[in-house]
């Protein structure tokens, strides 16, 4: 987590004024692994990123069993954003939040400003825009010139958006997929207790909170993800 945050800040600062292609960091959880295992196009889409974090403890556990380079810890975006923000406010590195409902996005930015008073927000934009409005969104991001752009449109929309537009966002230092990050920062959704997170049981907590939306998803995707991890971990 700390290494990632330090790397984001370094890349963001080095990118200023260079108009180079942004560094693109993404994350994978069980659902993403399951969807990629079923759809080669989604797998190829994920592989367009420069970096993929394990945003789930099962990947960490499997790496410790099967990999010669085991992961030291889970890098959950909901935690990473705070570690990066602590460093960003000291280094003068700016953020841009793209995604979520308008009220959620605004509350997420307000919460971050309250927690990190010296953090600079270059801009923000909700994630509800039509295809014909995408150019306007890109123009706003380019004008704001954030050091780090957090894109929370959900999988695979955020990956598609970034892959489609990354060369048109030169000048941004780092682009990080954010999934439902803004829901958590804004307070709309709550995190599982730390012991459940460490045990890889955060999905059970989320299912308890939103059974209608998540129960069938996890019942379908978890076995596929476990099979993929068993088959492909090395």
């Amino acid at each position: 987590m700390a290494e990632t945050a330090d790397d984001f800040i370094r890349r963001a600062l080095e990118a200023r004024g260079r108009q180079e292609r942004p560094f693109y960091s993404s994350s994978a959880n069980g659902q993403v692994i399951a969807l990629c295992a079923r759809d080669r196009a989604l797998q190829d889409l994920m592989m367009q990123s420069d970096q993929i974090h394990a945003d789930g403890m099962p990947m960490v556990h499997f790496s410790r069993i099967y990999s010669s380079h085991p992961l030291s810890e889970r890098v959950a975006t909901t935690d990473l954003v705070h570690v990066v923000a602590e460093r960003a406010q000291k280094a003068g590195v700016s953020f841009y939040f793209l995604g979520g409902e308008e009220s959620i996005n605004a509350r997420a930015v307000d919460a971050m400003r309250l927690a990190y008073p010296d953090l600079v927000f270059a801009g923000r934009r909700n994630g509800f825009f039509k295809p014909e409005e995408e150019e306007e969104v890109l123009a706003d991001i380019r004008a704001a010139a954030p050091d780090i752009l957090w894109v929370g449109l959900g999988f695979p929309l955020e990956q598609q958006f970034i892959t489609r537009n990354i060369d048109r966002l030169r000048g941004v230092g780092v682009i990080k997929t954010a999934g439902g990050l803004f829901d958590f920062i804004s307070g709309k959704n709550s995190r599982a207790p730390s012991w459940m997170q460490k045990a890889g049981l955060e999905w059970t907590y989320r299912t308890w909170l939103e059974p209608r939306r998540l129960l069938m998803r996890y019942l379908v995707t978890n076995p596929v993800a476990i099979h993929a991890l068993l088959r492909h971990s090395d």
Side-chain angles (χ1 to χ4, degrees):
M1 188 80 70
E3 290 176 357
T4 298
D6 288 338
D7 186 59
F8 277 17
I9 298 301
R10 177 184 63 81
R11 290 180 182 278
L13 292 173
E14 289 179 351
R16 287 180 174 175
R18 301 177 65 173
Q19 294 300 306
E20 294 183 350
R21 184 180 186 271
F23 179 75
Y24 168 23
S25 177
S26 191
S27 302
N29 56 19
Q31 181 194 13
V32 171
I33 288 179
L35 293 173
C36 287
R38 289 175 165 176
D39 189 333
R40 181 56 185 269
L42 292 179
Q43 183 181 135
D44 292 342
L45 178 66
M46 280 294 294
M47 296 305 292
Q48 295 299 309
S49 57
D50 298 309
Q51 176 185 71
I52 303 174
H53 286 128
D55 192 353
M57 283 305 298
M59 284 84 85
V60 176
H61 294 322
F62 270 81
S63 78
R64 291 173 179 172
I65 297 171
Y66 294 104
S67 178
S68 58
H69 297 85
L71 298 171
S72 59
E73 64 180 335
R74 170 193 183 195
V75 182
T77 309
T78 43
D79 297 320
L80 177 64
V81 68
H82 294 287
V83 184
V84 176
E86 289 176 353
R87 289 158 170 77
Q89 68 174 353
K90 296 176 182 178
V93 168
S94 63
F95 281 13
Y96 189 114
F97 277 3
L98 172 64
E101 299 174 4
E102 174 61 24
S103 61
I104 296 298
N105 186 289
R107 283 160 51 192
V109 171
D110 289 343
M112 291 296 287
R113 283 175 167 158
L114 182 62
Y116 309 98
D118 295 325
L119 179 61
V120 177
F121 266 90
R124 69 169 190 84
R125 175 67 161 80
N126 69 65
F128 291 84
F129 52 89
K130 299 175 182 178
E132 58 268 27
E133 297 175 313
E134 186 164 286
E135 184 55 47
E136 177 185 337
V137 174
L138 294 172
D140 186 68
I141 296 171
R142 286 194 295 264
D147 293 308
I148 303 178
L149 169 63
W150 302 81
V151 182
L153 303 177
F155 180 82
L157 294 180
E158 57 197 23
Q159 284 79 10
Q160 292 168 343
F161 175 86
I162 295 169
T163 300
R164 185 168 60 246
N165 296 305
I166 192 165
D167 285 315
R168 306 176 68 192
L169 290 172
R170 291 177 179 271
V172 176
V174 176
I175 300 178
K176 178 69 180 78
T177 57
L181 171 65
F182 308 141
D183 287 341
F184 290 100
I185 297 177
S186 68
K188 176 184 177 182
N189 291 346
S190 62
R191 296 292 303 279
S194 58
W195 70 267
M196 295 188 76
Q197 296 180 40
K198 293 177 181 178
L201 296 174
E202 189 163 14
W203 67 273
T204 59
Y205 178 81
R206 294 185 62 193
T207 302
W208 176 69
L209 292 179
E210 301 181 84
R212 291 186 178 181
R213 187 174 74 87
L214 297 177
L215 180 59
M216 284 305 300
R217 176 199 292 183
Y218 288 135
L219 286 176
V220 171
T221 60
N222 280 6
V224 177
I226 292 172
H227 179 265
L229 287 168
L230 286 169
R231 181 180 179 187
H232 298 293
S233 294
D234 59 28

